[in-house]
Amino acid sequence: MAQLADLDRYLPEPLTHAVLPLARLARFKTGQMVMGHQDDTSDVFVILDGTLRIELLSRNGREITLNDAGPGELVGEYAALDEQPRSATVTATTDATLARIPGAVFKQAALAHPASAEWLTVRLVHILRSLNERIFELNALAVRSRLHCELLRLSLDNGVIANEASFAPSPTHAELANRIGTHREAVTRELSYLAEQGITSSTGRKLKVRDVARLAEIVRAAAGEVELIQRANRAGIGRGFD
């Protein structure tokens, strides 16, 4: 069972040492909201166990999925750093155990030590790079190419073994549509085409990418040498993959 002592696996040592005395365990059930968009709170949460979904909800009820986060990830640090309302809604997609850290404590501790400040800076730059990548995809790529990018991103996040990657439970077609700014029917059509080509297969709630290298080549042909492809290259996927 996850404990506060697990913080030292995810935060730099000076930051763990500073926040641990004031951190508290928080447990959430599947579907329970951790924080709401525009909430005036500033606690920072470190995920010790389980997964969370970060999303926005439009006025007409459409859900826009920004990211899914698992063990070791942080949520809520934006409000702690800039003292503004929450920028998104965060909901538990499984039962989750989090370390809750008061926002003011996290900010002071993160900025007080060079190693902690560098760690936080690198983390924020990584988020910016990811957002740049998604902005490019939404504005420059067709729906099918956006889905290819998302499947490649999921493959890299979940781990590629022998040129295959599996997700179980996999995102539903509606959830994939929310991630890439389209509708469920478009995702269903393209997944059927990918299955016909032998690139993916699905059984129940398990989705398998059977040829990650080929998927990477399709993404490269549509998007060029974007950050996602560079990440695949570093993982040995795509050109030169055996």
Side-chain angles (χ1 to χ4, degrees), residues 48 69 107 160 194:
L48 303 178
K107 179 178 180 179
V160 179
L194 291 174

Side-chain angles (χ1 to χ4, degrees), residues 80-97:
L81 292 171
D82 66 10
E83 300 177 10
Q84 297 297 309
R86 299 296 194 185
S87 61
T89 295
V90 178
T91 307
T93 52
T94 67
D95 289 353
T97 302

Side-chain angles (χ1 to χ4, degrees), residues 6 16 35 37 51 79 96 108 126 132 137 142 183-184 200 207-208 212 221:
D6 295 333
T16 300
M35 64 185 72
H37 182 221
T51 57
Q108 180 179 7
H126 173 76
N132 286 344
E137 292 169 12
H183 50 85
R184 179 180 58 81
T200 66
L207 175 65
K208 176 179 285 189
V212 180

Side-chain angles (χ1 to χ4, degrees), residues 199-214:
I199 297 174
T200 66
S201 64
S202 60
T203 305
R205 285 298 306 275
K206 181 177 182 179
L207 175 65
K208 176 179 285 189
V209 177
R210 308 185 65 88
D211 192 341
V212 180
R214 187 176 173 195

Side-chain angles (χ1 to χ4, degrees), residues 122-201:
V122 170
R123 169 180 164 73
L124 293 175
V125 168
H126 173 76
I127 293 172
L128 285 173
R129 286 182 178 274
S130 178
L131 289 174
N132 286 344
E133 185 176 276
R134 289 179 178 272
I135 290 170
F136 169 80
E137 292 169 12
L138 285 170
N139 286 277
L141 301 182
V143 168
R144 65 185 308 174
S145 294
R146 299 204 300 268
L147 179 60
H148 299 158
C149 288
E150 189 62 28
L151 291 174
L152 180 57
R153 187 177 292 110
L154 286 169
S155 297
L156 294 171
D157 289 345
N158 282 272
V160 179
I161 300 175
N163 198 29
E164 293 187 345
S166 298
F167 329 124
S170 66
T172 65
H173 293 190
E175 288 168 348
L176 285 170
N178 290 341
R179 289 170 180 260
I180 64 173
T182 187
H183 50 85
R184 179 180 58 81
E185 292 79 9
V187 170
T188 299
R189 285 196 300 269
E190 185 57 23
L191 283 177
S192 295
Y193 172 78
L194 291 174
E196 291 172 3
Q197 298 300 307
I199 297 174
T200 66
S201 64

